[in-house]
Amino acid sequence: MLEEGYINVTGGKVWYQLFNKNAKGIPVIILHGGPGSSCYSLQGLKALAEERPVIFYDQLGCGKSDRPTDLSLWRIERFVEELALVRQALNLKELHILGHSWGTTLAAAYCLTKPIGVKSVIFSSPCLSAPLWEQDQRRNLEKLPKEIQETIKSCEENGTTDSEVYKFATEQFNKHFVCRLDPYPDWLKQGSQNRNPEIYNIMWGPSEFTVLGNLREFDCTPRLKEITFPTLYTCGRFDEATPETTQYYSRLTPASSFHVYEHSAHMPYVEEPDEYLRVTGDFLKKIDILNDSETF
């Protein structure tokens, strides 16, 4: 059973999908990466709907959602408000949250508003500190050939991050740290039309490696101790969201666990889909059981 439609939020309407609305398990809402990407690449997670309702939505400005031109909309506070409005519209009194990449930034910021009814959060390939992310990418770049490092550095310094040589260099980075599938799936390539690079540039910047946007000072690590419901931190062994930093976040979060997908980079839900679904599904079912035992 699939329900889909649009929800009014500040600045426009966002498109959502709700799979298996009447399933017994606690619903899980999926927060996609970006900023300015879409839920397109995460569609494989609808398999979780065998146990529970699964909600996808394209954040405002990308995918099938409205694309307003008001640049003041592209800030994390509005995206937090947007998530609250989506939850309210779908009457999600209890829910799990699964965020990926920028989606974990959004998930953490939302959870730190202390909403009622959140039963767990999965931080998948997390970015919970822009400064730490930047440091990790500098270290990752050092693992690539010198010419790739020098190209990225010079293009950043000269403001030529829209050049073909920069695009080639970032492709080499992506093959190591974003998605290691070879060949790269055609269906993933087709998803580029769902992105809105303007949002990414405003919030992050023109380069993956140096944060110049309005998220440049985002760092919620001092407050992770306030997230007291169960959390699962995951990443790929070769992830740009490095295992070392992901485990560091986990250690700062009281009721957390940590898992590494050994054959993946930043997209384990595509690179190791069966294992990703197994780990995610097992975690969610465990929390459902705990929730049921607390109810009686």
Side-chain angles (χ1 to χ4, degrees), residues 74-89:
W74 312 134
R75 50 191 176 80
I76 191 168
E77 296 82 6
R78 197 214 55 83
F79 283 102
V80 168
E81 177 191 352
E82 175 181 284
L83 173 54
L85 290 170
V86 170
R87 182 182 174 188
Q88 181 182 9

PDB file of all heavy atoms in Angstrom, residues 74-89:
ATOM      1  N   TRP A  74      17.029  28.558   2.961  1.00  0.00           N
ATOM      2  CA  TRP A  74      18.022  27.480   3.018  1.00  0.00           C
ATOM      3  C   TRP A  74      18.906  27.612   4.251  1.00  0.00           C
ATOM      4  O   TRP A  74      20.063  28.015   4.200  1.00  0.00           O
ATOM      5  CB  TRP A  74      18.825  27.454   1.726  1.00  0.00           C
ATOM      6  CG  TRP A  74      17.965  27.506   0.509  1.00  0.00           C
ATOM      7  CD1 TRP A  74      18.149  28.293  -0.589  1.00  0.00           C
ATOM      8  CD2 TRP A  74      16.756  26.771   0.252  1.00  0.00           C
ATOM      9  NE1 TRP A  74      17.159  28.093  -1.502  1.00  0.00           N
ATOM     10  CE2 TRP A  74      16.277  27.166  -1.009  1.00  0.00           C
ATOM     11  CE3 TRP A  74      16.028  25.819   0.981  1.00  0.00           C
ATOM     12  CZ2 TRP A  74      15.114  26.649  -1.572  1.00  0.00           C
ATOM     13  CZ3 TRP A  74      14.863  25.306   0.427  1.00  0.00           C
ATOM     14  CH2 TRP A  74      14.419  25.702  -0.830  1.00  0.00           C
ATOM     15  N   ARG A  75      18.317  27.262   5.388  1.00  0.00           N
ATOM     16  CA  ARG A  75      19.015  27.272   6.683  1.00  0.00           C
ATOM     17  C   ARG A  75      18.477  26.118   7.512  1.00  0.00           C
ATOM     18  O   ARG A  75      17.329  25.682   7.348  1.00  0.00           O
ATOM     19  CB  ARG A  75      18.831  28.601   7.403  1.00  0.00           C
ATOM     20  CG  ARG A  75      17.407  29.060   7.480  1.00  0.00           C
ATOM     21  CD  ARG A  75      17.237  30.504   7.949  1.00  0.00           C
ATOM     22  NE  ARG A  75      15.837  30.886   7.903  1.00  0.00           N
ATOM     23  CZ  ARG A  75      14.929  30.577   8.819  1.00  0.00           C
ATOM     24  NH1 ARG A  75      15.305  29.895   9.899  1.00  0.00           N
ATOM     25  NH2 ARG A  75      13.675  30.942   8.702  1.00  0.00           N
ATOM     26  N   ILE A  76      19.294  25.624   8.410  1.00  0.00           N
ATOM     27  CA  ILE A  76      18.952  24.391   9.115  1.00  0.00           C
ATOM     28  C   ILE A  76      17.711  24.545   9.977  1.00  0.00           C
ATOM     29  O   ILE A  76      16.910  23.609  10.107  1.00  0.00           O
ATOM     30  CB  ILE A  76      20.159  23.889   9.948  1.00  0.00           C
ATOM     31  CG1 ILE A  76      19.878  22.464  10.448  1.00  0.00           C
ATOM     32  CG2 ILE A  76      20.487  24.838  11.086  1.00  0.00           C
ATOM     33  CD1 ILE A  76      21.088  21.773  11.020  1.00  0.00           C
ATOM     34  N   GLU A  77      17.492  25.726  10.553  1.00  0.00           N
ATOM     35  CA  GLU A  77      16.327  25.922  11.419  1.00  0.00           C
ATOM     36  C   GLU A  77      15.022  25.691  10.666  1.00  0.00           C
ATOM     37  O   GLU A  77      14.066  25.122  11.208  1.00  0.00           O
ATOM     38  CB  GLU A  77      16.349  27.321  12.028  1.00  0.00           C
ATOM     39  CG  GLU A  77      17.509  27.593  12.956  1.00  0.00           C
ATOM     40  CD  GLU A  77      18.787  27.985  12.229  1.00  0.00           C
ATOM     41  OE1 GLU A  77      18.750  28.160  10.975  1.00  0.00           O
ATOM     42  OE2 GLU A  77      19.835  28.104  12.902  1.00  0.00           O
ATOM     43  N   ARG A  78      14.982  26.124   9.389  1.00  0.00           N
ATOM     44  CA  ARG A  78      13.757  25.923   8.619  1.00  0.00           C
ATOM     45  C   ARG A  78      13.551  24.461   8.273  1.00  0.00           C
ATOM     46  O   ARG A  78      12.428  23.958   8.254  1.00  0.00           O
ATOM     47  CB  ARG A  78      13.768  26.780   7.346  1.00  0.00           C
ATOM     48  CG  ARG A  78      12.373  26.944   6.711  1.00  0.00           C
ATOM     49  CD  ARG A  78      12.452  27.022   5.193  1.00  0.00           C
ATOM     50  NE  ARG A  78      13.143  25.878   4.627  1.00  0.00           N
ATOM     51  CZ  ARG A  78      12.548  24.703   4.394  1.00  0.00           C
ATOM     52  NH1 ARG A  78      11.275  24.510   4.684  1.00  0.00           N
ATOM     53  NH2 ARG A  78      13.240  23.697   3.884  1.00  0.00           N
ATOM     54  N   PHE A  79      14.650  23.738   8.004  1.00  0.00           N
ATOM     55  CA  PHE A  79      14.527  22.309   7.717  1.00  0.00           C
ATOM     56  C   PHE A  79      14.063  21.534   8.952  1.00  0.00           C
ATOM     57  O   PHE A  79      13.327  20.555   8.832  1.00  0.00           O
ATOM     58  CB  PHE A  79      15.852  21.759   7.186  1.00  0.00           C
ATOM     59  CG  PHE A  79      16.114  22.116   5.747  1.00  0.00           C
ATOM     60  CD1 PHE A  79      16.987  23.140   5.421  1.00  0.00           C
ATOM     61  CD2 PHE A  79      15.482  21.440   4.714  1.00  0.00           C
ATOM     62  CE1 PHE A  79      17.233  23.477   4.097  1.00  0.00           C
ATOM     63  CE2 PHE A  79      15.713  21.768   3.385  1.00  0.00           C
ATOM     64  CZ  PHE A  79      16.588  22.798   3.073  1.00  0.00           C
ATOM     65  N   VAL A  80      14.497  21.950  10.141  1.00  0.00           N
ATOM     66  CA  VAL A  80      14.011  21.339  11.384  1.00  0.00           C
ATOM     67  C   VAL A  80      12.508  21.572  11.524  1.00  0.00           C
ATOM     68  O   VAL A  80      11.741  20.655  11.848  1.00  0.00           O
ATOM     69  CB  VAL A  80      14.774  21.901  12.597  1.00  0.00           C
ATOM     70  CG1 VAL A  80      14.095  21.508  13.906  1.00  0.00           C
ATOM     71  CG2 VAL A  80      16.226  21.415  12.588  1.00  0.00           C
ATOM     72  N   GLU A  81      12.086  22.802  11.266  1.00  0.00           N
ATOM     73  CA  GLU A  81      10.656  23.128  11.307  1.00  0.00           C
ATOM     74  C   GLU A  81       9.889  22.311  10.268  1.00  0.00           C
ATOM     75  O   GLU A  81       8.776  21.822  10.534  1.00  0.00           O
ATOM     76  CB  GLU A  81      10.464  24.625  11.037  1.00  0.00           C
ATOM     77  CG  GLU A  81       9.015  25.070  10.986  1.00  0.00           C
ATOM     78  CD  GLU A  81       8.851  26.484  10.453  1.00  0.00           C
ATOM     79  OE1 GLU A  81       9.863  27.182  10.270  1.00  0.00           O
ATOM     80  OE2 GLU A  81       7.700  26.878  10.200  1.00  0.00           O
ATOM     81  N   GLU A  82      10.474  22.135   9.091  1.00  0.00           N
ATOM     82  CA  GLU A  82       9.845  21.356   8.028  1.00  0.00           C
ATOM     83  C   GLU A  82       9.600  19.919   8.470  1.00  0.00           C
ATOM     84  O   GLU A  82       8.503  19.361   8.259  1.00  0.00           O
ATOM     85  CB  GLU A  82      10.741  21.382   6.796  1.00  0.00           C
ATOM     86  CG  GLU A  82      10.288  20.520   5.633  1.00  0.00           C
ATOM     87  CD  GLU A  82      11.262  20.616   4.483  1.00  0.00           C
ATOM     88  OE1 GLU A  82      11.248  21.643   3.784  1.00  0.00           O
ATOM     89  OE2 GLU A  82      12.052  19.660   4.281  1.00  0.00           O
ATOM     90  N   LEU A  83      10.599  19.306   9.099  1.00  0.00           N
ATOM     91  CA  LEU A  83      10.448  17.934   9.599  1.00  0.00           C
ATOM     92  C   LEU A  83       9.308  17.850  10.610  1.00  0.00           C
ATOM     93  O   LEU A  83       8.493  16.921  10.574  1.00  0.00           O
ATOM     94  CB  LEU A  83      11.762  17.451  10.212  1.00  0.00           C
ATOM     95  CG  LEU A  83      11.740  16.106  10.935  1.00  0.00           C
ATOM     96  CD1 LEU A  83      11.194  14.990  10.054  1.00  0.00           C
ATOM     97  CD2 LEU A  83      13.142  15.761  11.451  1.00  0.00           C
ATOM     98  N   ALA A  84       9.229  18.823  11.497  1.00  0.00           N
ATOM     99  CA  ALA A  84       8.148  18.840  12.494  1.00  0.00           C
ATOM    100  C   ALA A  84       6.783  18.944  11.807  1.00  0.00           C
ATOM    101  O   ALA A  84       5.817  18.285  12.230  1.00  0.00           O
ATOM    102  CB  ALA A  84       8.351  19.996  13.457  1.00  0.00           C
ATOM    103  N   LEU A  85       6.692  19.726  10.736  1.00  0.00           N
ATOM    104  CA  LEU A  85       5.421  19.891  10.024  1.00  0.00           C
ATOM    105  C   LEU A  85       5.041  18.624   9.258  1.00  0.00           C
ATOM    106  O   LEU A  85       3.854  18.257   9.192  1.00  0.00           O
ATOM    107  CB  LEU A  85       5.505  21.083   9.076  1.00  0.00           C
ATOM    108  CG  LEU A  85       5.559  22.458   9.747  1.00  0.00           C
ATOM    109  CD1 LEU A  85       5.888  23.551   8.731  1.00  0.00           C
ATOM    110  CD2 LEU A  85       4.240  22.767  10.452  1.00  0.00           C
ATOM    111  N   VAL A  86       6.023  17.962   8.674  1.00  0.00           N
ATOM    112  CA  VAL A  86       5.757  16.686   7.991  1.00  0.00           C
ATOM    113  C   VAL A  86       5.255  15.663   8.998  1.00  0.00           C
ATOM    114  O   VAL A  86       4.263  14.958   8.760  1.00  0.00           O
ATOM    115  CB  VAL A  86       7.028  16.177   7.275  1.00  0.00           C
ATOM    116  CG1 VAL A  86       6.842  14.744   6.779  1.00  0.00           C
ATOM    117  CG2 VAL A  86       7.395  17.089   6.115  1.00  0.00           C
ATOM    118  N   ARG A  87       5.919  15.596  10.130  1.00  0.00           N
ATOM    119  CA  ARG A  87       5.503  14.650  11.174  1.00  0.00           C
ATOM    120  C   ARG A  87       4.077  14.946  11.643  1.00  0.00           C
ATOM    121  O   ARG A  87       3.266  14.036  11.811  1.00  0.00           O
ATOM    122  CB  ARG A  87       6.489  14.737  12.338  1.00  0.00           C
ATOM    123  CG  ARG A  87       6.190  13.761  13.446  1.00  0.00           C
ATOM    124  CD  ARG A  87       7.152  13.882  14.610  1.00  0.00           C
ATOM    125  NE  ARG A  87       6.718  13.020  15.688  1.00  0.00           N
ATOM    126  CZ  ARG A  87       7.253  13.009  16.895  1.00  0.00           C
ATOM    127  NH1 ARG A  87       8.268  13.823  17.195  1.00  0.00           N
ATOM    128  NH2 ARG A  87       6.791  12.188  17.823  1.00  0.00           N
ATOM    129  N   GLN A  88       3.781  16.224  11.846  1.00  0.00           N
ATOM    130  CA  GLN A  88       2.445  16.620  12.293  1.00  0.00           C
ATOM    131  C   GLN A  88       1.386  16.265  11.256  1.00  0.00           C
ATOM    132  O   GLN A  88       0.321  15.732  11.589  1.00  0.00           O
ATOM    133  CB  GLN A  88       2.421  18.122  12.578  1.00  0.00           C
ATOM    134  CG  GLN A  88       1.090  18.656  13.063  1.00  0.00           C
ATOM    135  CD  GLN A  88       1.126  20.167  13.279  1.00  0.00           C
ATOM    136  OE1 GLN A  88       2.094  20.846  12.912  1.00  0.00           O
ATOM    137  NE2 GLN A  88       0.095  20.702  13.885  1.00  0.00           N
ATOM    138  N   ALA A  89       1.669  16.533   9.994  1.00  0.00           N
ATOM    139  CA  ALA A  89       0.697  16.277   8.929  1.00  0.00           C
ATOM    140  C   ALA A  89       0.383  14.797   8.795  1.00  0.00           C
ATOM    141  O   ALA A  89      -0.752  14.422   8.456  1.00  0.00           O
ATOM    142  CB  ALA A  89       1.225  16.832   7.609  1.00  0.00           C
TER     143      ALA A  89
END
